Amino acid sequence: MKNEYLLDKLNEAASLFSHPISRTDLKNLRKNNVGFPSESVYESRFGSWNKAKSLAGLDLIPKHGAGTERAGRKKYKEKWLLEKLHEARVFLGRDLRRNDMKDLCKLKIGFPSSDVYENRFGSWNKALVIAGLPIWKKSRSPNNRNVTLHLRFEVLERDRFKCQYCGRTPQDGAKLVADHIVPFSKGGKTVLENLITSCFECNSGKKDSILDILAQKKKASQ
Ligand SMILES: [Zn+2]
């Protein structure tokens, strides 16, 4: 990691707090998996935590400007969070669900969790609205990938609540979903005839999950 990158990151981290950033703050950020270098990296690279802060220009804030600085940082954090949502949407190539941000956060590639958005904006959907992004909707349309609760029930009922791939039922611990026979990404419609009851395990081997998307990206870059 280059010094410049480290100092940029420290500035970015500092912007997330309304008070001067401490070692513990950075530690906590790392616990939330938002992709910051560890405080010990700064100490070993720059001699001490305070030296790193000084080099990052973080001790140069005039006292009388502290109030404005604080407001500025708060704004920056919101802007940063909203930008991350747009980034996540581009990354996944589809509209965002709340769980996406949880999964992306776990990958430790710099995305905050959905909890962060709920705390900051009041709710997940509110954050999407403020970011100008569409809310994930489940509407009963053949051209909508998402299966409504009602249609899902029709599919499961027709298939007698049994995974049509492995035969397991909820009594066997299977979590049943309605799966597209012709995948939606290949032009399959969201209609009863193109849906089949599948357990979560059988289904997840075929779906465009985040891990699949990652694998595809990796493949494409090789
Ligand atoms: Zn199954």
Side-chain angles (χ1 to χ4, degrees):
M1 277 183 275
K2 284 187 176 165
N3 285 355
E4 203 183 6
Y5 169 82
L6 287 172
L7 296 175
D8 273 355
K9 273 296 190 189
L10 189 53
N11 255 299
E12 192 182 330
S15 309
L16 305 180
F17 296 93
S18 54
H19 56 260
I21 189 168
S22 68
R23 291 176 85 259
T24 319
D25 290 332
L26 192 62
K27 211 178 221 168
N28 288 336
L29 277 178
R30 284 174 52 73
K31 269 188 211 148
N32 288 321
N33 302 330
V34 279
F36 289 104
S38 90
E39 58 283 5
S40 58
V41 169
Y42 287 97
E43 284 165 350
S44 64
R45 183 70 63 93
F46 303 104
S48 77
W49 171 250
N50 282 336
K51 244 186 195 160
K53 271 180 75 174
S54 165
L55 284 168
L58 290 170
D59 60 350
L60 302 173
I61 302 154
K63 281 267 187 309
H64 62 268
T68 342
E69 184 65 27
R70 202 164 292 154
R73 281 184 187 170
K74 200 180 162 202
K75 231 183 192 169
Y76 180 94
K77 180 175 181 179
E78 283 184 5
K79 202 175 148 236
W80 182 79
L81 286 172
L82 297 173
E83 277 169 6
K84 279 287 169 188
L85 283 182
H86 283 267
E87 211 179 289
R89 185 161 180 262
V90 170
F91 184 80
L92 294 178
R94 58 164 171 73
D95 290 345
L96 296 176
R97 278 168 284 189
R98 193 173 158 275
N99 277 343
D100 289 334
M101 290 316 279
K102 286 210 161 129
D103 293 341
L104 284 173
C105 177
K106 280 183 208 143
L107 294 175
K108 303 188 185 186
I109 48 174
F111 288 105
S113 173
S114 50
D115 304 342
V116 176
Y117 290 93
E118 281 164 4
N119 287 337
R120 174 62 61 142
F121 300 102
S123 80
W124 166 247
N125 281 346
K126 245 186 206 167
L128 284 177
V129 169
I130 293 169
L133 289 172
I135 292 170
W136 182 268
K137 272 202 195 90
K138 290 190 171 185
S139 68
R140 185 166 186 166
S141 154
N143 299 318
N144 191 320
R145 176 192 209 116
N146 315 312
V147 183
T148 60
L149 220 57
H150 187 257
L151 182 56
R152 176 174 161 266
F153 184 78
E154 281 179 61
V155 175
L156 267 57
E157 197 178 36
R158 183 200 60 199
D159 295 336
R160 297 185 183 171
F161 297 92
K162 199 182 242 183
C163 172
Q164 299 299 296
Y165 299 112
C166 71
R168 292 195 309 146
T169 67
Q171 283 78 39
D172 308 319
K175 195 183 157 207
L176 298 178
V177 298
D179 185 26
H180 285 83
I181 299 168
V182 177
F184 186 81
S185 55
K186 297 200 167 64
K189 300 279 183 208
T190 305
V191 290
L192 190 60
E193 299 72 40
N194 190 40
L195 291 166
I196 193 165
T197 302
S198 165
C199 71
F200 184 76
E201 285 76 15
C202 287
N203 177 54
S204 57
K206 305 168 59 192
K207 221 175 179 180
D208 294 341
S209 71
I210 286 177
L211 287 177
D212 288 337
I213 291 168
L214 277 178
Q216 281 163 17
K217 273 179 192 280
K218 208 176 166 190
K219 219 174 158 187
S221 69
Q222 272 168 2

